[in-house]
Amino acid sequence: YLLQELTADVISGHNIRSTVFIETRSMYRTDGPEELRPVGEVEFAQGLAAASASGIYGSTRAAAAIVGHADLKLGDRVEPVLEALQAASPNRFRGIRFSVSWDPHPEVENRAEPGTLADPQFVAGARALARRGLSLEGSQFFPQLPEMAQFAKTVPDLKIVLNHIGGLMRVGPYGNRDDEVLPIWRQGIAAVAECPNVYIKLGGIGQPRYGFDWHTRDHPIGSEELAQALAPYMNYCIEQLGPDRCMFESNFPPDKVSYSYNVLFNAFKRLSEGYSATERAALFHDTAAGVYRIDI
């Protein structure tokens, strides 16, 4: 099956440059102040990046830019944490990722308290991030997108990257309710699109919470069917934010339950065939390279 998809890719003649994201979450320091423990993750990624930059693994440059974590709820007290993160990777550290995901339904797993985006301490921490020219990876559920838009306007100098098409959910309390759910999601995407400091990653839809059955199939989905399924969601985001604020995202390994890596990227190629060469370059590479200041 993989060979079939790879052969189709070769026959298509596409040669599209892409920027790939890799996450590491298990390398936190095991001692010392709690707020500084995430520095260990950046130290680990910096070591990998240095090894890759030496060329011993080939031409690929892993971790050319690094996104870590810091607790923005510390407010101004997050400054020493950000300083330590930058010291751990002076040439590659670009920002942090922080989940504000919260939903009132008890069956939804929350990762933050309600109202985090409006909390004065969180806003102060975000401003500290912006002063250093660092970015924030925003993770939230789709009903929170209007809150995210207001937050983006409150901290206009902060570059914000939304993951997984804005946190759409089509299972549990939001299952079998597309007539209600999708308009709310679209309105939320339109709201964040009004904020020029917001960017969005087009991916993550292979996670079961997006409401597709691909992870249950006996035979995995192919790139043509996948492109057709992704198109309404991704094209809407591109329409609202423009290709220069959108970037294709693999979200591997979580999305691996639904499709293979090469099938997904073939789907991205099929989905984007109607865009210009400049627009496709932005979606696959240029937007990400600009946001994360990757000189490749």
Side-chain angles (χ1 to χ4, degrees):
Y1 182 74
L2 295 178
L3 288 175
Q4 179 183 354
E5 284 292 328
L6 287 169
T7 303
D9 182 33
V10 173
I11 293 172
S12 72
H14 292 140
N15 181 16
I16 297 177
R17 195 180 186 193
S18 64
T19 301
V20 179
F21 301 88
I22 303 173
E23 290 187 24
T24 61
R25 299 187 181 184
S26 59
M27 297 298 171
Y28 281 22
R29 293 175 178 174
T30 57
D31 54 16
E34 190 74 29
E35 66 272 15
L36 288 173
R37 292 188 181 185
V39 176
E41 178 184 49
V42 172
E43 291 170 332
F44 172 75
Q46 178 74 357
L48 291 179
S52 178
S54 73
I56 61 174
Y57 302 122
S59 60
T60 298
R61 294 294 174 260
I66 298 171
V67 174
H69 175 72
D71 186 0
L72 294 186
K73 298 193 302 295
L74 292 168
D76 290 331
R77 293 186 296 117
V78 79
E79 286 278 10
V81 181
L82 298 178
E83 183 177 355
L85 289 165
Q86 288 185 299
S89 177
N91 57 337
R92 296 183 178 92
F93 182 67
R94 298 293 186 262
I96 71 159
R97 185 170 184 172
F98 194 104
S99 176
V100 297
S101 301
W102 179 85
D103 189 89
H105 296 89
E107 59 267 52
V108 175
E109 181 182 356
N110 291 322
R111 296 184 178 179
E113 298 297 320
T116 297
L117 287 166
D119 180 82
Q121 284 291 97
F122 185 83
V123 172
R127 286 180 172 144
L129 201 63
R131 285 194 296 270
R132 291 176 175 267
L134 300 171
S135 63
L136 172 64
E137 301 277 316
S139 178
Q140 73 295 303
F141 296 128
F142 73 98
Q144 296 176 278
L145 286 171
E147 295 176 53
M148 181 61 76
Q150 184 57 53
F151 170 76
K153 293 173 182 177
T154 301
V155 194
D157 295 333
L158 178 64
K159 192 172 290 183
I160 300 168
V161 182
L162 302 185
N163 293 296
H164 317 328
I165 65 168
L168 181 62
M169 192 185 313
R170 297 171 58 238
V171 297
Y174 300 106
N176 301 311
R177 294 175 53 194
D178 279 2
D179 289 348
E180 303 169 57
V181 167
L182 295 183
I184 294 172
W185 172 75
R186 284 192 287 264
Q187 290 166 13
I189 293 296
V192 296
E194 294 178 1
C195 308
N197 56 324
V198 173
Y199 299 76
I200 194 165
K201 290 181 181 177
L202 307 178
I205 299 181
Q207 298 173 89
R209 71 183 177 91
Y210 282 79
F212 294 97
D213 67 349
W214 305 322
H215 64 290
T216 68
R217 295 189 180 187
D218 293 332
H219 300 285
I221 191 170
S223 62
E224 186 170 2
E225 183 186 355
L226 183 58
Q228 293 172 352
L230 297 177
Y233 304 94
M234 298 194 173
N235 284 334
Y236 182 77
C237 291
I238 297 167
E239 173 190 317
Q240 292 298 312
L241 283 87
D244 58 343
R245 288 165 57 200
C246 295
M247 58 189 95
F248 286 135
E249 167 204 15
S250 71
N251 196 46
F252 269 59
D255 280 24
K256 189 177 180 179
V257 300
S258 292
Y259 37 68
S260 69
Y261 190 90
N262 59 294
V263 165
L264 176 63
F265 270 83
N266 280 342
F268 286 158
K269 292 175 185 180
R270 294 181 189 277
L271 185 153
S272 62
E273 283 178 339
Y275 293 95
S276 70
T278 300
E279 291 169 333
R280 296 183 89 194
L283 293 167
F284 277 97
H285 176 273
D286 294 353
T287 298
V291 168
Y292 298 107
R293 291 173 281 142
I294 303 173
D295 187 21
I296 55 174

